Amino acid sequence: GAGVSQTPSNKVTEKGKYVELRCDPISGHTALYWYRQSLGQGPEFLIYFQGTGAADDSGLPNDRFFAVRPEGSVSTLKIQRTERGDSAVYLCASSLSSGGSDTQYFGPGTRLTVL
Amino acid sequence: TQLLEQSPQFLSIQEGENLTVYCNSSSVFSSLQWYRQEPGEGPVLLVTVVTGGEVKKLKRLTFQFGDARKDSSLHITAAQPGDTGLYLCAGRYNFNKFYFGSGTKLNVKP
């Protein structure tokens, strides 16, 4: 079956612009995670959804970052007034439930470059 | 800030050699996972360890969770070029929050 997909695969934008990154989880997966991976680092937790609601958004770095999952499936990560420091690979993962022990399946990521 | 420290950061070895990668923290985790990530792809789960002192084997890979659930190791026997990649450990801290280490980049030369 299809895995987690993320679009676009690459996004280049200018400082100060607004961007949206999309994640399509595996069908039927209720849990969805966003991570940010900077060069040479491991993924950093941003936000976790259980269904439509953000169960934990403690990893969002500031109020320029926002994520939604209106129908409990596709999620969009939104970044306002982008800064050069936002450049990173943004990873999305989904799992079957919120059990924590369920396997997280990662997408290939969106590489965001802010010029 | 990374709660999990991995060592070494880089490892370049010849095919057939053995190696061990370490993942250490001052925090206690309810479980710890190991992933492998290849360029341009997301991490792929290799194993989850839950119980202190637990040892799991996956073919030539052996994973161990420390007795105090603060550290873990990954041992690869007779490494092959196909083992090349970035190895990441991730600790489950709260119910659904995972903290990743900075990774060990392994290169196995034929």
Side-chain angles (χ1 to χ4, degrees), chain A residues 31 33 35 37 40-45 48 56 58-59 91 97-104 106-109, chain B residues 1-2 9 31 33 35 37 40-45 48 86 88 92 94-103:
Chain A
Y33 305 78
Y35 294 87
Q37 187 172 23
Q41 299 294 316
E44 175 190 8
F45 171 84
Y48 154 68
D56 186 340
S58 61
L91 293 165
S97 72
S98 63
S101 59
D102 285 336
T103 300
Q104 290 184 73
F106 282 83
Chain B
T1 303
Q2 313 237 229
Q9 280 187 286
S31 66
Q33 299 179 324
Y35 291 81
Q37 185 177 23
E41 298 180 9
V44 175
L45 181 67
T48 300
L86 179 68
L88 295 158
R92 186 174 141 214
N94 289 335
F95 187 62
N96 276 97
K97 185 181 269 187
F98 293 85
Y99 287 98
F100 280 79
S102 54

Side-chain angles (χ1 to χ4, degrees), chain A residues 5-66:
Chain A
S5 63
Q6 293 186 244
T7 54
S9 55
N10 279 285
K11 176 70 178 178
V12 180
T13 190
E14 293 179 343
K15 180 175 177 293
K17 299 288 189 183
Y18 168 83
V19 296
E20 289 190 352
L21 312 179
R22 177 186 167 110
C23 171
D24 276 271
I26 293 172
S27 178
H29 281 194
T30 60
L32 186 146
Y33 305 78
W34 282 99
Y35 294 87
R36 178 169 70 175
Q37 187 172 23
S38 301
L39 194 63
Q41 299 294 316
E44 175 190 8
F45 171 84
L46 295 178
I47 187 170
Y48 154 68
F49 286 91
Q50 176 54 38
T52 59
D56 186 340
D57 64 357
S58 61
L60 294 177
N62 51 59
D63 61 6
R64 295 187 297 105
F65 288 74
F66 190 69

